[in-house]
Amino acid sequence: MKGALLSTDGLGVRYGSFTALSEVSLSIGANTIHSVIGPNGAGKTTLFHALTGRVRPSAGRIDFNGHDITALTDDRRVRRGLARSFQVTSLFHRLSVRENLRLAAQGRTPWQALKMWQPAERNQDATAIADSILERLELTRVAGRSAEELSHGQQRRLEVGMAMASRPLLILLDEPTSGMGIDDIATMKRLIADLGRDHTVLFIEHNMGIVMDISDRVTVMQSGRKLVEGAPGEIRDNPEVRRAYLGSMMTGGRA
Amino acid sequence: MDRPIFHFALAALVALLLPFFIRSGTLATEVLVFAIAAAGCNLLLGYTGLLSFGQGIFFGLGSYTLGLALIHTTLPLLPTLVLAMIVGSVVAIVIGALSIRRQGVYFVMLTLAFAQLFYFLAYTFSDITGGDNGLIGIPRRGIGPLALNSSWSYYGFVAVIFLISFAALQRIATSTFGRTLLAIRYNGERAQAIGFPVRAFKIAAFAVSGAVTGLAGALHALLIGIAPLSDIDYHMSESLLVMTIIGGTGNLFGSVLGAAFYLIVSDTLSAIWPRWLLLLGALLIVLALFIQKGIWGLIESGVGIVRGRRGGPDAMAPGVSGSERP
C-alpha cells in the first residue's frame, strides 16, 4: 500500500452525552479511492465533519500530509489541500454556475480576496480553474445560469465541482449520488473514477455498484465505529458486513 | 441595467438634479449625506446579510469626532473628515468583531445593545459631547480658498464627496472582496467550507461600513453646525436601516433612492400634518408587505415588464445584480 495521505488515530466525536463517533482509526493511501459505507446513523457524515474541521473531535488525532491538523479550523484545512462536497446540495443558489466555481477556486487563497480594489474577474487563476471545471463537468453550456436553475443531476455535479475547484490533495464526497436518477449516477461514477487519477478520493456512498466497482479500499461503519475495512471483494464476502446490511444491499456491483 | 457605470451615472444625475427640485439647500445636502450612510449600511445588510443597529454609533461618532476636532484644534477640514472615517472604522471593527460571534437574532441584539451603550455614553459624558444639547458651535471651515459658507456651496462640496464615496463603494462591491461578501450572504456555511475565513470578511465589511458611515456623520454635523445627541441615538440606526430597505438591499443606487425618498417624504408630510410619522409608518407597512425589493426592485420589474413586452432576452432573469431581498 502507498503512503498514507490522511490518517486518524482513535478519533471520537460526542454531541453532549451522545457518542456519534468513537475509536475510529483510518489510513487513506495517497492516490487511492476509498469509500465509507454503513447503515444510516453509522457516523459516516460525522466522520466527514470531523475530518474537514466542521466539528471538533472530542478524542483522537488527525494527520494530513505529514501534519497534525486536529486543531485547525475548516477554512485552514482547505488551504492544506482538503475539500469536501455535501450530502444536501449547498450552493450559492442565486449566483451563476461559473461564479460558484470561481468562488470555490478563490477559496484556496482567501486572503487575496480581501483586495477591495481588484475586480473579481482580474484573478485569472480562479476564472481559469472555474472554466476548466465547467468543461470537465459538462456544465459550460449552463455556466451563465444561476445555480438554482440547474437540474438536480447538474447541481450534484456542481456540488462535486465546488470541492474540485480548490485543487485539493484529498477530496471528500458525501453521498455524491444522493437523489440521482440512473443516467446521472453513471455520469457521476465516471467522474469519481476520473477524479481518482489525480486526487485522493474519500467518499460516502449507498450505491453499492459504485462502491464495489471503483473503490480501492472500503471502510464499513456501524454505530459510530469502524466495523471492517478491506478491498471491495473482501467486504462483499464478509459475513459481519452481510449481517449489518441484512444482506440485501450487497448484491450490486455488476456494473 | 446592471452595469456599475450606469448606476454611477444615475447617482451623478441625482446630485445634479436635486437643486432643481428641492428649494432648501439643507434638505438637498441631507439627502446626499444620508445616501452615503445608507450605502454604507447596504454593504452590511445587502451584501453581507448583516442587520446591524450599530450604524447610528458610527454616524454619531463621526459627528462628534468632526465637532471636537474643529472646535478644539486647528486641523483643516479634509484631515478632519479622514479622522472621522478612522474613528468610525475602528469602532466598527471592535463592535463587529464582538457581535459576529453570534448569529441571527443574537447578532442583532448585540448591535442593539451597543447602540444603547454608546447613546448613554454620549448622554453621560456631557462635558465632551454636550449631552442633551449636542456639541454646539462647530465652525464650518473652508478648503483653501473655497469658502463653504452658503448652503449651496456646501451642497457642492458634499456632492463631490458623495460621488467619490459612491464610486469607491461600487468598486468595492464588484471586487473580489464584494463578491465574496455576497457569497457569505447567500450561504455562509458553504463560503466557510470552500476556505473563506467568514468572520474576517465580516469584520472587514464592518470596517468599510464604519468608515463610510462615520464620514456621513461628520458631514451631517458640519451641515447643521452641531453634533446632536440624536446622531448617535439608536433611532439613527433605525432610520438608516429603513432607508436602505426602502431603496432596495444589495444595490447601492437603491440606497440613494431610499435616502431621498425617506427624507423628502418626511419633509413633505411633516409640513402637512404634525402626526406625520403615523403616515410614514403606514407607508413602511405597505413597502414591507408588497414591495420587498424596495424602490429599485420596483423600477427593475417595471423595466422588465416593458422589455418583456418587446420580447427582450432574459429581462427578468435573476443575476448578481442584487435585486434580491434580504
Side-chain angles (χ1 to χ4, degrees), chain B residues 157-174:
Chain B
F157 172 68
V158 171
V160 170
I161 293 182
F162 161 72
L163 288 176
I164 295 171
S165 313
F166 190 83
L169 280 173
Q170 272 192 313
R171 178 98 190 191
I172 291 170
T174 51

Side-chain angles (χ1 to χ4, degrees), chain A residues 144-215:
Chain A
R145 290 205 200 146
S146 61
E148 64 190 349
E149 291 175 73
L150 299 185
S151 72
H152 180 74
Q154 288 172 327
Q155 285 187 352
R156 291 307 294 170
R157 287 216 294 281
L158 180 56
E159 177 67 43
V160 173
M162 298 290 277
M164 292 158 62
S166 66
R167 286 151 293 162
L169 298 168
L170 173 64
I171 188 162
L172 293 94
L173 309 175
D174 193 347
E175 280 192 46
T177 64
S178 85
M180 276 188 158
I182 293 172
D183 295 345
D184 286 333
I185 288 180
T187 314
M188 184 60 81
K189 181 174 162 184
R190 272 200 306 276
L191 176 63
I192 299 170
D194 191 42
L195 280 178
R197 266 179 235 154
D198 32 38
H199 302 269
T200 304
V201 180
L202 178 64
F203 74 113
I204 298 173
E205 188 51 66
H206 282 305
N207 183 310
M208 288 305 142
I210 296 186
V211 170
M212 293 301 157
D213 286 350
I214 65 176
S215 307

Side-chain angles (χ1 to χ4, degrees), chain B:
Chain B
M1 190 98 178
D2 289 338
R3 296 186 53 190
I5 188 77
F6 172 64
H7 290 199
F8 181 78
L10 288 176
L13 207 63
V14 168
L16 211 65
L17 293 183
L18 268 182
F20 295 99
F21 291 96
I22 300 177
R23 244 171 283 150
S24 153
T26 306
L27 179 62
T29 311
E30 230 169 5
V31 167
L32 296 189
V33 166
F34 280 96
I36 296 173
C41 181
N42 207 340
L43 192 73
L44 284 182
L45 182 61
Y47 286 85
T48 326
L50 294 171
L51 183 81
S52 150
F53 274 92
Q55 304 311 103
I57 302 172
F58 318 143
F59 192 89
L61 287 177
S63 298
Y64 286 128
T65 304
L66 174 117
L68 291 170
L70 290 187
I71 291 170
H72 299 297
T73 72
T74 54
L75 215 59
L77 185 53
L78 288 180
T80 311
L81 292 177
V82 173
L83 191 66
M85 291 176 77
I86 293 171
V87 171
S89 188
V90 168
V91 174
I93 288 171
V94 174
I95 290 176
L98 290 169
S99 302
I100 57 160
R101 299 180 72 84
R102 293 288 170 269
Q103 294 195 331
V105 175
Y106 297 100
F107 165 80
V108 178
M109 290 303 289
L110 277 167
T111 63
L112 201 56
F114 277 113
Q116 293 287 31
L117 185 76
F118 273 84
Y119 171 77
F120 281 106
L121 278 177
Y123 183 80
T124 308
F125 290 97
S126 53
D127 292 348
I128 305 168
T129 62
D132 229 354
N133 299 322
L135 188 63
I136 50 176
I138 300 173
R140 193 185 290 171
R141 240 164 247 163
I143 299 177
L146 276 173
L148 301 172
N149 292 325
S150 80
S151 67
W152 286 114
S153 63
Y154 185 61
Y155 176 84
F157 172 68
V158 171
V160 170
I161 293 182
F162 161 72
L163 288 176
I164 295 171
S165 313
F166 190 83
L169 280 173
Q170 272 192 313
R171 178 98 190 191
I172 291 170
T174 51
S175 72
T176 330
F177 174 68
R179 300 268 284 268
T180 307
L181 293 185
L182 211 54
I184 289 170
R185 174 188 157 182
Y186 288 141
N187 190 346
E189 213 169 73
R190 187 69 198 230
Q192 181 83 32
I194 56 175
F196 290 106
V198 167
R199 277 191 189 176
F201 276 78
K202 284 181 176 173
I203 293 171
F206 259 101
V208 177
S209 184
V212 170
T213 313
L215 173 67
L219 293 172
H220 188 242
L222 198 61
L223 169 69
I224 57 180
I226 68 170
L229 189 61
S230 62
D231 273 10
I232 203 164
D233 194 346
Y234 94 96
H235 284 299
M236 179 56 73
S237 304
E238 194 188 301
S239 305
L240 291 175
L241 282 168
V242 166
M243 287 176 201
T244 310
I245 293 167
I246 288 180
T249 53
N251 184 287
L252 291 172
F253 183 68
S255 299
V256 180
L257 290 177
F261 182 84
Y262 184 91
L263 290 166
I264 294 169
V265 168
S266 301
D267 187 71
T268 316
L269 291 182
S270 65
I272 301 170
W273 191 32
R275 296 277 168 269
W276 60 278
L277 275 170
L278 202 72
L279 292 176
L280 191 70
L283 199 63
L284 288 179
I285 292 170
V286 172
L287 276 161
L289 281 177
F290 303 110
I291 320 177
Q292 287 171 340
K293 289 176 179 179
I295 301 174
W296 179 254
L298 204 62
I299 294 174
E300 256 188 348
S301 16
V303 171
I305 289 166
V306 173
R307 275 197 199 163
R309 268 191 209 140
R310 289 183 199 154
D314 286 342
M316 298 293 279
V320 196
S321 73
S323 55
E324 298 84 0
R325 62 200 146 93

